[in-house]
Amino acid sequence: MDPYKFRPSSGFDTKYTTTNAGAPVWNDNEALTVGSRGPILLEDYHLIEKVAHFARERIPERVVHARGASAKGFFECTHDVTNLTCADFLRAPGVQTPVIVRFSTVIHERGSPETIRDPRGFAVKFYTREGNWDLLGNNFPVFFIRDGIKFPDVIHAFKPNPKSHVQEYWRVFDFLSHLPESMHTFFFLFDDVGVPTDYRHMEGFGVNTYTFINKEGKSNYVKFHWKPTCGVKCLLEDEAVVIGGKNHSHATQDLYESIAAGNYPEWKLYVQVMDPDTEDRYDFDPLDDTKTWPEDLLPLIPVGRLVLNRNIDNFFNENEQLAFGPGLIVPGIHYSDDKMLQCRVFAYADTQRYRLGPNYLMLPVNAPKCAHHNNHYDGLMNFMHRDEEVDYYPSRHDSLRHAEKFPIPNRVLNGKREKVILHKQNDFKQPGERYRSWAPDRQERFVRRWAEYLGQPKVSHEIRSIFINYLSQCDTSLGLKVANKLNVRPSI
């Protein structure tokens, strides 16, 4: 099946201007008027259509990840992982799958600089033979919260003040002072990796815990890691100021020009795998997005490589209309009970329906490259030609049938309805270990950033004291250093 069969294409354009309905326009320079001076006539259909379309050529920007850049390429399986998953695109080394990737900043609007201290998005859409798989992640392996019900709150806290439209960190600290699990992500955001040099030199992490299922039905928890082959590079404050002052789109430009020059960015994909039956042996909950999995206990397993070798053809079509959603999975890859992931499965699809309409998956950039069929009919902006008489299932007049059964996680669920926090919180151990792994100069920069942000005038003494206490629980010397810079007596 040709996925582009019904797509209008500029490759079939006429040599003269037409209306959207295809009628020739003999004058696209002057409006139709009464006499040479006017007034303009409402019957100038092309004028009205042209201006009305112009007023509507922007769609609602993403609430998060509004600023982004995309590129196309392929993913190649390089290692045999069939013992872990029956995913078709990972069936054997050498198998290649087309992909499109979008990198982004999280908080600020579409025109914001790419030198802002902010998490970066790293989203990959795999066009597999069994449908599309979307792997959405960030350049940090952890997130500020562990429960999706707090996602609107954490984003609101980081967004500009609704009264002044200025981002103010007293709001961030005020909210996250109630959530000590956020400390781990701060140890990435306020670290040197908080401002990547560009997208090519940036790591990616799935953040959420997914599930691999092999053909025998064995399930394992899995975490995804993207490692750039050209290494990780970051900008320090002075460098970010200089680069951002010259070009607020430096990372987008770098990605585009590198691919155009044949310097194709590449990442290696690794996974960490955990048997759910062994999760009790660890001092963290594997479904907690504020925690990493120690690589000495759960080593990285190589899977494949991602190569971006084609620039997008049109920014609006393949970046602004590009729609990702964690709900898009393929046989062999499934969700886990990760509370953040469970919430995102609904939230991302819903936001795309709002931004792009209910038929957003018909857009060429979002449509699968394999044959697809269901009874989702009509709706706003449905542009798929269909001439079937049966739009229901089952039917004795239609040969449509169920797909071949594939394994899904089959663990027995047991519990009562309740709203509770995860039992293994342990919020300060991992950030402390990360801090102590750094060289002294890196630690000093980290301390300086904490003191700078906590020292802002509207951050209250109470909130400063809370975060110094949190920092001290991560590492005693760290709390003392930040307290000394702020001239605050730590309460340890």
Side-chain angles (χ1 to χ4, degrees):
M1 177 180 178
D2 181 0
Y4 299 114
K5 182 177 180 181
F6 304 111
R7 182 183 71 170
S9 171
S10 59
F12 300 105
D13 280 355
T14 66
K15 300 301 181 184
Y16 53 81
T17 303
T18 74
T19 67
N20 276 348
V25 174
W26 64 271
N27 186 333
D28 195 22
N29 294 321
E30 285 84 31
L32 183 65
T33 60
V34 176
S36 62
R37 302 283 303 277
I40 290 175
L41 293 175
L42 191 61
E43 69 184 61
D44 190 340
Y45 171 82
H46 181 62
L47 165 69
I48 301 302
E49 189 73 10
K50 184 176 182 179
V51 174
H53 189 280
F54 173 74
R56 293 164 174 80
E57 66 183 28
R58 294 293 179 266
I59 59 176
E61 74 172 29
R62 295 166 171 88
V63 178
V64 288
H65 299 279
R67 177 63 193 262
S70 303
K72 296 181 283 191
F74 65 88
F75 175 81
E76 181 181 7
C77 180
T78 56
H79 291 74
D80 184 358
V81 290
T82 54
N83 63 313
L84 298 174
T85 175
C86 59
D88 177 74
F89 76 102
L90 298 176
R91 63 189 178 274
V95 173
Q96 291 190 356
T97 302
V99 300
I100 187 166
V101 178
R102 187 175 188 269
F103 306 102
S104 56
T105 55
V106 173
I107 293 299
H108 295 279
E109 59 272 9
R110 216 154 26 191
S112 56
E114 294 179 309
T115 49
I116 290 176
R117 184 168 296 277
D118 189 29
R120 270 38 173 197
F122 193 125
V124 185
K125 186 181 291 291
F126 297 76
Y127 300 102
T128 87
R129 300 193 308 183
E130 293 185 317
N132 293 353
W133 176 45
D134 287 0
L135 176 57
L136 292 82
N138 288 335
N139 66 320
F140 303 157
V142 288
F143 198 58
F144 293 98
I145 55 175
R146 54 166 66 101
D147 196 312
I149 199 171
K150 302 309 297 174
F151 186 74
D153 299 294
V154 70
I155 297 302
H156 285 170
F158 271 93
K159 286 282 191 181
N161 186 321
K163 183 175 181 179
S164 64
H165 199 65
V166 175
Q167 187 185 36
E168 298 174 319
Y169 255 77
W170 69 264
R171 291 163 32 84
V172 175
F173 292 136
D174 177 35
F175 171 66
L176 292 177
S177 66
H178 300 275
L179 301 171
E181 64 265 31
S182 65
M183 293 303 292
H184 201 181
T185 307
F186 272 123
F187 278 59
F188 288 86
L189 181 65
F190 286 175
D191 180 24
D192 292 349
V193 297
V195 185
T197 297
D198 50 55
Y199 295 130
R200 293 183 298 120
H201 294 87
M202 188 177 83
E203 289 182 292
F205 301 91
V207 183
N208 296 128
T209 300
Y210 282 82
T211 305
F212 266 170
I213 311 120
N214 65 18
K215 62 182 179 181
E216 286 79 29
K218 170 60 180 173
S219 297
N220 285 290
Y221 292 147
V222 61
K223 289 273 196 181
F224 297 100
H225 300 248
W226 296 106
K227 303 291 184 184
T229 57
C230 58
V232 176
K233 294 183 180 179
C234 307
L235 297 175
L236 299 183
E237 281 77 356
D238 292 345
E239 298 171 308
V241 168
V242 171
I243 291 175
K246 293 180 179 179
N247 182 2
H248 79 292
S249 300
H250 82 283
T252 295
Q253 182 175 346
D254 173 82
L255 179 67
Y256 191 91
E257 292 182 349
S258 295
I259 294 173
N263 181 22
Y264 301 141
E266 182 174 333
W267 288 260
K268 303 293 187 184
L269 177 64
Y270 297 86
V271 294
Q272 287 177 287
V273 175
M274 179 191 296
D275 188 332
D277 294 333
T278 67
E279 64 176 274
D280 289 341
R281 70 178 60 168
Y282 304 102
D283 63 2
F284 60 91
D285 191 316
L287 306 185
D288 183 350
D289 288 353
T290 70
K291 301 294 184 289
T292 55
W293 294 2
E295 293 179 15
D296 57 336
L297 302 177
L298 300 161
L300 297 179
I301 300 171
V303 177
R305 67 186 186 116
L306 169 69
V307 179
L308 299 181
N309 58 5
R310 293 170 56 207
N311 278 311
I312 56 176
D313 301 307
N314 180 276
F315 182 81
F316 183 78
N317 288 346
E318 296 180 301
N319 186 82
E320 293 304 287
Q321 292 195 130
L322 178 57
F324 292 94
L328 300 184
I329 55 174
V330 293
I333 301 174
H334 203 80
Y335 322 114
S336 73
D337 294 335
D338 178 334
K339 289 186 179 183
M340 286 291 293
L341 177 58
Q342 291 280 322
C343 181
R344 294 175 80 210
V345 167
F346 165 77
Y348 276 67
D350 190 54
T351 196
Q352 307 301 0
R353 285 188 288 266
Y354 166 70
R355 284 199 324 119
L356 302 170
N359 290 302
Y360 71 96
L361 289 174
M362 286 187 183
L363 292 167
V365 71
N366 300 321
K369 300 291 188 279
C370 60
H372 55 285
H373 184 92
N374 56 48
N375 290 319
H376 298 178
Y377 264 70
D378 304 336
L380 185 69
M381 297 302 294
N382 186 314
F383 55 88
M384 179 66 70
H385 173 75
R386 305 186 73 158
D387 54 13
E388 300 96 340
E389 293 184 282
V390 174
D391 57 358
Y392 48 85
Y393 179 87
S395 169
R396 302 189 192 281
H397 297 276
D398 193 321
S399 59
L400 191 66
R401 56 181 175 82
H402 283 147
E404 183 178 343
K405 185 178 180 180
F406 53 84
I408 60 174
N410 57 4
R411 300 191 80 193
V412 176
L413 300 178
N414 182 31
K416 60 184 179 181
R417 291 185 179 93
E418 54 186 339
K419 288 197 170 198
V420 294
I421 197 167
L422 295 178
H423 297 303
K424 293 183 184 178
Q425 297 180 38
N426 203 0
D427 294 324
F428 304 111
K429 177 185 177 183
Q430 291 190 356
E433 290 172 342
R434 177 172 172 81
Y435 172 78
R436 289 186 290 275
S437 72
W438 296 336
D441 60 330
R442 187 170 176 178
Q443 291 181 346
E444 178 57 31
R445 289 191 293 271
F446 183 72
V447 169
R448 187 179 68 242
R449 292 178 191 121
W450 269 107
E452 176 187 344
Y453 282 94
L454 284 175
Q456 293 178 3
K458 292 185 73 173
V459 178
S460 69
H461 176 75
E462 178 189 13
I463 290 176
R464 286 193 191 111
S465 298
I466 289 171
F467 274 94
I468 288 172
N469 178 267
Y470 287 166
L471 290 166
S472 299
Q473 290 187 69
C474 295
D475 183 271
T476 304
S477 65
L478 169 61
L480 287 170
K481 289 177 181 178
V482 175
N484 288 338
K485 282 190 177 292
L486 291 171
N487 198 26
V488 174
R489 177 172 295 180
S491 175
I492 303 174

